[in-house]
Amino acid sequence: MPDPTQLTQPDEALRQTRAIEEAGDLRQLLTRIADRLTGNLPSAAMRDVNRLSYARQYAEAEHGYGTDRARAVERALLRQMPRLDDRTITRGEYALLLRTRAGRPTHAERVAELHRQADEEYTAARPREGQARAALLYARIDGNASAASAR
């Protein structure tokens, strides 16, 4: 019987992708790819095969040839790099698209920001320990005063 706490393959891939996105690795790689596109034949046509090649090349250069981490980074990069399908676009124009994507927060960063905001709102909404003690003290005083006046 398999261990119920063992992560499945999709769970592990999702965990790795989120870890990569949280580390900011994708933004840096997207910016480096955009730099290469603008520095090398920016007016030439960009093709989908170039997109696939750059994603693999930069992921492997960063994380090693054929490693699990490199494959996870490559998949995450390809999700961030817009598909070309049959569009005609230059390498320089595609670099602008990549820079736009690199400037936007990733999904993991947006989720982390929402968690941070919720934590701040929760902390601000709940009474502080000192405020709670003061409220309890005032309630006791008021209760004692009410009990004494009822006698």
Side-chain angles (χ1 to χ4, degrees), residues 67-114:
T67 63
D68 290 338
R69 180 99 166 152
R71 283 191 287 277
V73 169
E74 179 185 359
R75 286 190 301 270
L77 272 174
L78 289 173
R79 279 193 298 277
Q80 293 296 318
M81 298 172 76
R83 292 185 67 136
L84 296 173
D85 298 322
D86 292 330
R87 288 190 292 177
T88 304
I89 187 170
T90 66
R91 292 164 56 94
E93 292 168 333
Y94 193 76
L96 289 174
L97 294 175
L98 292 182
R99 289 185 201 285
T100 301
R101 291 277 173 107
R104 289 186 199 152
T106 63
H107 175 71
E109 291 169 331
R110 288 192 305 268
V111 169
E113 176 63 20
L114 288 173

Side-chain angles (χ1 to χ4, degrees), residues 2 5-6 17-18 28 36 56 66 71-72 78 87 93-94 104 108 113 122 125 135-136 138 142-145:
T5 60
Q6 186 176 2
T17 302
R18 285 193 177 140
Q28 178 188 20
R36 176 136 179 223
R56 173 167 286 173
R71 283 191 287 277
L78 289 173
R87 288 190 292 177
E93 292 168 333
Y94 193 76
R104 289 186 199 152
E113 176 63 20
Y122 176 75
L136 183 60
Y138 292 137
D142 289 342
N144 290 340

